């Protein structure tokens, strides 16, 4: 399973943008880049995913480097509710009927009021 | 918004007893998963399920574990003879297609005493 590297923790101020980096230098051509987050005492929650192009949705934006060896999750205006562990995960079904997610330790985002 | 529902939210069981954890995935989803998270540790993949059969399982998912989709709506995880080390939060997830977002339930906290 392709590996990702994220900072252990980051801090942000409320209502400011947050850029969460992820390195995935061994990514293969068919690996999708997924971001999930886990709020305290809750199950993981999907944030965004992409393959090659940058992606935007109501929660966040995903910027993918041209060589795909890194990506950045962008929260445009952090709120206190965004305090969570953010996971960057590479997933590929490799032709099989599964898209298992291999979670690392993620980045613990603290948001200060 | 559709959601994955898990019951019970908390189960306490004696070592050696069988437990069944229940999940109701989102109704039009085709791919189903179980994950677990031991307190303070990473979320770990257990098993994926598609078309009424296991598509992939991890090393954790040994002969003590089984999954079933008994009636087309429920998705269950059975642990035949629980051990102390099975104490964890168990999350069910489902997705409509491959390489799309996975929806996670709120989890069942299993405590083995």
């Amino acid at each position: 399973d392709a590996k990702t590297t994220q900072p252990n923790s980051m801090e942000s101020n409320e209502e400011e943008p947050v850029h969460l980096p992820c390195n995935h230098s061994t990514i293969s051509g068919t690996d999708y880049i997924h971001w999930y987050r886990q709020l305290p005492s809750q199950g993981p929650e999907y944030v965004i995913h992409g393959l090659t192009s940058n992606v935007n949705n109501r929660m966040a934006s995903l910027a993918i480097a041209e060589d795909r060896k890194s990506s950045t999750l962008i929260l445009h205006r952090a709120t206190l509710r965004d305090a969570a562990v953010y996971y960057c995960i590479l997933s590929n079904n490799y032709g099989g009927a599964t898209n298992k997610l291999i979670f690392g330790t993620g980045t613990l985002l603290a948001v200060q009021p | 918004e559709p959601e994955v529902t898990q019951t019970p939210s908390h189960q306490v069981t004696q070592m050696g007893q069988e437990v069944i954890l229940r999940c109701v995935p989102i109704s039009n989803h085709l791919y189903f998963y179980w994950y677990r998270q031991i307190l303070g540790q990473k979320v770990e993949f257990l098993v994926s399920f598609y078309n009424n059969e296991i598509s992939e399982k991890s090393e954790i998912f040994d002969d003590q574990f089984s999954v079933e989709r008994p009636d087309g709506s429920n998705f269950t995880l059975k642990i035949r003879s629980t051990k102390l080390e099975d104490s964890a939060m168990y999350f069910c997830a489902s997705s409509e297609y491959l390489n799309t977002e996975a929806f996670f339930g709120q989890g069942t906290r299993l405590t083995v005493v």
Side-chain angles (χ1 to χ4, degrees):
Chain A
D1 299 311
K3 197 171 158 49
T4 63
T5 305
Q6 300 178 251
N8 288 333
S9 62
M10 289 184 66
E11 267 194 23
S12 171
N13 294 319
E14 203 176 4
E15 299 194 6
E16 289 186 358
V18 183
H19 290 234
L20 296 163
C22 181
N23 285 319
H24 29 79
S25 57
T26 59
I27 191 170
S28 76
T30 49
D31 282 329
Y32 281 76
I33 303 160
H34 293 252
W35 284 83
Y36 283 77
R37 71 181 186 181
Q38 189 173 23
L39 279 65
S41 302
Q42 294 194 28
E45 176 187 28
Y46 170 82
V47 178
I48 201 166
H49 79 289
L51 184 60
T52 56
S53 306
N54 294 344
V55 185
N56 299 297
N57 66 19
R58 62 177 176 82
M59 285 182 74
S61 295
L62 175 60
I64 301 173
E66 205 168 316
D67 63 5
R68 300 187 72 236
K69 292 184 188 299
S70 65
S71 60
T72 302
L73 177 70
I74 303 163
L75 307 179
H76 295 287
R77 285 179 74 229
T79 69
L80 296 179
R81 198 198 168 272
D82 291 322
V85 179
Y86 287 79
Y87 301 99
C88 169
I89 302 168
L90 301 183
S91 182
N92 189 320
N93 60 300
Y94 292 112
T98 178
N99 247 149
K100 67 180 181 185
L101 300 170
I102 302 300
F103 289 80
T105 52
T107 296
L108 176 62
L109 176 66
V111 180
Q112 306 299 329
Chain B
E1 188 168 307
E3 59 179 15
V4 174
T5 307
Q6 290 186 243
T7 54
S9 56
H10 190 187
Q11 174 135 13
V12 181
T13 188
Q14 297 236 325
M15 194 167 53
Q17 294 296 302
E18 175 183 286
V19 293
I20 297 176
L21 309 183
R22 301 180 193 281
C23 169
V24 179
I26 294 170
S27 62
N28 61 329
H29 284 190
L30 302 175
Y31 298 87
F32 312 109
Y33 305 86
W34 283 101
Y35 292 82
R36 79 172 186 190
Q37 187 173 31
I38 295 169
L39 188 63
Q41 298 188 25
K42 296 189 276 192
V43 177
E44 300 174 290
F45 167 76
L46 293 178
V47 66
S48 57
F49 192 86
Y50 168 75
N51 199 25
N52 281 321
E53 60 181 25
I54 290 173
S55 45
E56 188 169 1
K57 59 184 180 179
S58 72
E59 289 177 359
I60 302 168
F61 194 88
D62 61 21
D63 292 344
Q64 292 299 310
F65 292 88
S66 62
V67 289
E68 202 176 37
R69 191 155 157 78
D71 56 11
S73 62
N74 290 287
F75 180 49
T76 61
L77 174 70
K78 179 168 33 177
I79 309 175
R80 253 178 279 284
S81 177
T82 49
K83 303 190 271 278
L84 294 176
E85 53 265 39
D86 293 327
S87 295
M89 190 74 120
Y90 287 80
F91 296 109
C92 171
S94 69
S95 65
E96 188 175 5
Y97 303 114
L98 291 174
N99 297 317
T100 58
E101 65 180 289
F103 291 79
F104 283 77
Q106 287 303 298
T108 293
R109 179 169 298 286
L110 177 66
T111 303
V112 182
V113 297

